[in-house]
Amino acid sequence: MFGNLGEMAKLVQKAKDLQKNMAQLKADLAAAEFAGAAGGEAVQAVVSGDFRVKRVLIAETATGDRELLADLCQAAVNQALDNARNAMQQKMTEVTGGVNLPGLF
């Protein structure tokens, strides 16, 4: 009867360790920066791992066509966000051992 308590205690400890690792991962990703570019790097965007736009850099040569510039900005930001999302998924896989835990981020 009490043999299962030892297993349960191990499971609880693993859950606590996972929670601690997830908190550290979230902090690490928030501090990380991910870049994206469009138009041959005429427009560059940098976002944080918590999906906040940090900066957008626009080359002087990219300012001729406003509509094109808007499209390039959108593409660069989306690429940077995709890079951040992919890095997060890779780190999550490392932390959880490949177990999908929906709703963590």
Side-chain angles (χ1 to χ4, degrees):
M1 177 174 165
F2 292 108
N4 288 339
L5 289 177
E7 291 300 316
M8 184 177 268
K10 287 180 188 177
L11 184 60
V12 169
Q13 185 59 46
K14 283 185 180 183
K16 286 181 181 180
D17 291 344
L18 179 60
Q19 187 177 26
K20 179 182 173 186
N21 290 343
M22 293 300 295
Q24 183 61 50
L25 172 63
K26 192 172 184 179
D28 290 347
L29 283 172
E33 291 187 347
F34 302 90
E41 298 196 3
V43 175
Q44 298 176 29
V46 178
V47 300
S48 63
D50 58 353
F51 308 111
R52 309 289 279 170
V53 176
K54 302 292 271 183
R55 60 190 168 276
V56 176
L57 308 168
I58 301 171
E60 286 186 38
T61 58
T63 59
D65 181 347
R66 291 180 61 180
E67 190 171 319
L68 175 61
L69 180 58
D71 290 344
L72 292 175
C73 288
Q74 180 181 7
V77 169
N78 284 332
Q79 183 182 54
L81 290 170
D82 286 344
N83 291 342
R85 197 172 294 110
N86 290 338
M88 179 196 67
Q89 288 173 344
Q90 181 180 6
K91 292 290 186 184
M92 287 287 292
T93 299
E94 292 172 14
V95 168
T96 64
V99 175
N100 184 17
L101 302 173
L104 290 177
F105 282 96

